[in-house]
Amino acid sequence: MAANWKMYKTAQETTAFFDRFNSLVESDPKPEIVVFPPALCIPAAVQATRGTRTEIGGQNLYWCKEGAFTGEVSGHMLRAAGANWVLVGHSERRQYFAETDADVLKKTHAALEAGLRPIVCVGERVEERKANKTEQVLVRQFAAGLAGLTEEEFAKTAVAYEPVWAIGTGLTATPQVASEAHELIRGEAAKRFGREAAKQLCILYGGSVKPDNIEGLMKETEIDGALVGGASLDPESFAKIVRAA
Ligand code: PEP
């Protein structure tokens, strides 16, 4: 279960979140939990989750280790701050920051080189779904975002299926629609990395996941977990989602 906080919360608010959240989930050994706070809050999040099973990730990275790239944060820096994971190719990065498939690929490789586990986000826009282009978009984004990975690197990588029309809109994909997309992605993974590796691939669903729709989604065997935005900002709400999973 992953939480994408986007551009919400200060370091103080991060600490306050975990003060409450840790006690709500600590009695269960599963599922794995990863929280993606804003980069500035990573040290506070790492500190607040020390000794718990929650891991911390970055929401984005730049592909160079260091250099004259004003405003950017590298995978190496995220790792040094205590992050273990990083989101790559989130649709908001593609939409508002003009990230291309080629950028996503460089970021996936940079994340792995830095010792971070990438979650590569893929998903179609509403007009692409209406034009029956969902399959084409998912195949292209999957191939472009994970090209050239070794088997070992692929085993460290997860994928999030996040239909753009479902993000922050309250329009969740039905479990069946999500499951079909996951099956397609797993099929692509099998073609490129083999059936066993594809079986092991963790595919998260993201898009308006809430405490009242998580159970239906998690009943689908194709859905391994969720990437939760808005509903992860409140500790009670995210803990309910974690427990339902
Ligand atoms: C996201 O930002 O990855 C996301 C899925 O957002 P939300 O849950 O708010 O739709």
Side-chain angles (χ1 to χ4, degrees):
M1 286 291 131
N4 174 16
W5 285 358
K6 313 189 190 221
M7 200 174 72
Y8 291 99
K9 295 196 193 292
T10 61
Q12 287 82 352
E13 288 163 349
T14 298
T15 306
F17 175 95
F18 286 111
D19 279 350
R20 181 76 188 119
F21 179 74
N22 289 347
S23 62
L24 295 171
V25 296
E26 73 190 1
S27 51
D28 310 316
K30 281 194 162 181
E32 283 176 80
I33 304 169
V34 189
V35 176
F36 296 87
L40 273 181
C41 302
I42 289 175
V46 168
Q47 165 96 18
T49 53
R50 200 155 278 145
T52 75
R53 75 180 195 284
T54 302
E55 296 193 33
I56 302 302
Q59 295 175 11
N60 180 36
L61 79 163
Y62 192 63
W63 52 79
C64 292
K65 191 176 169 194
E66 57 186 11
F69 302 106
T70 302
E72 292 296 317
V73 172
S74 72
H76 168 72
M77 290 166 181
L78 291 173
R79 191 79 190 95
N84 295 324
W85 294 81
V86 67
L87 295 178
V88 177
H90 190 280
S91 63
E92 287 156 12
R93 301 287 322 164
R94 295 180 193 253
Q95 191 177 345
Y96 304 128
F97 302 95
E99 261 184 30
T100 63
D101 285 340
D103 295 338
V104 173
L105 181 62
K106 284 193 254 185
K107 291 183 177 202
T108 307
H109 282 277
L112 289 159
E113 265 162 42
L116 294 165
R117 297 187 64 182
I119 300 184
V120 180
C121 304
V122 298
E124 79 286 3
R125 298 196 304 264
V126 71
E127 60 275 19
E128 292 166 333
R129 176 158 283 268
K130 282 190 184 150
N132 286 327
K133 289 194 174 147
T134 300
E135 179 169 348
Q136 193 183 318
V137 171
L138 296 183
V139 168
R140 190 201 76 226
Q141 290 181 342
F142 179 87
L146 290 92
L149 259 53
T150 63
E151 278 172 30
E152 203 186 318
E153 287 171 336
F154 180 71
K156 293 183 187 147
T157 304
V159 172
Y161 168 59
E162 298 208 304
V164 181
W165 46 270
I167 297 182
T169 58
L171 294 174
T172 327
T174 61
Q176 196 194 335
V177 164
S179 180
E180 280 167 12
H182 284 219
E183 213 178 313
L184 180 88
I185 293 165
R186 211 177 291 284
E188 284 306 297
K191 277 188 215 157
R192 286 160 206 276
F193 298 98
R195 281 182 59 175
E196 203 39 50
K199 245 197 216 167
Q200 301 299 325
L201 173 67
C202 178
I203 309 179
L204 308 176
Y205 166 76
S208 297
V209 171
K210 305 266 180 299
D212 61 6
N213 59 27
I214 184 68
E215 275 182 47
L217 289 160
M218 290 307 296
K219 276 190 188 136
E220 297 291 330
T221 49
E222 272 298 332
I223 301 179
D224 301 312
L227 178 53
V228 188
S232 71
L233 292 168
D234 173 67
E236 317 279 338
S237 154
F238 189 48
K240 270 191 204 152
I241 291 172
V242 167
R243 285 197 304 252

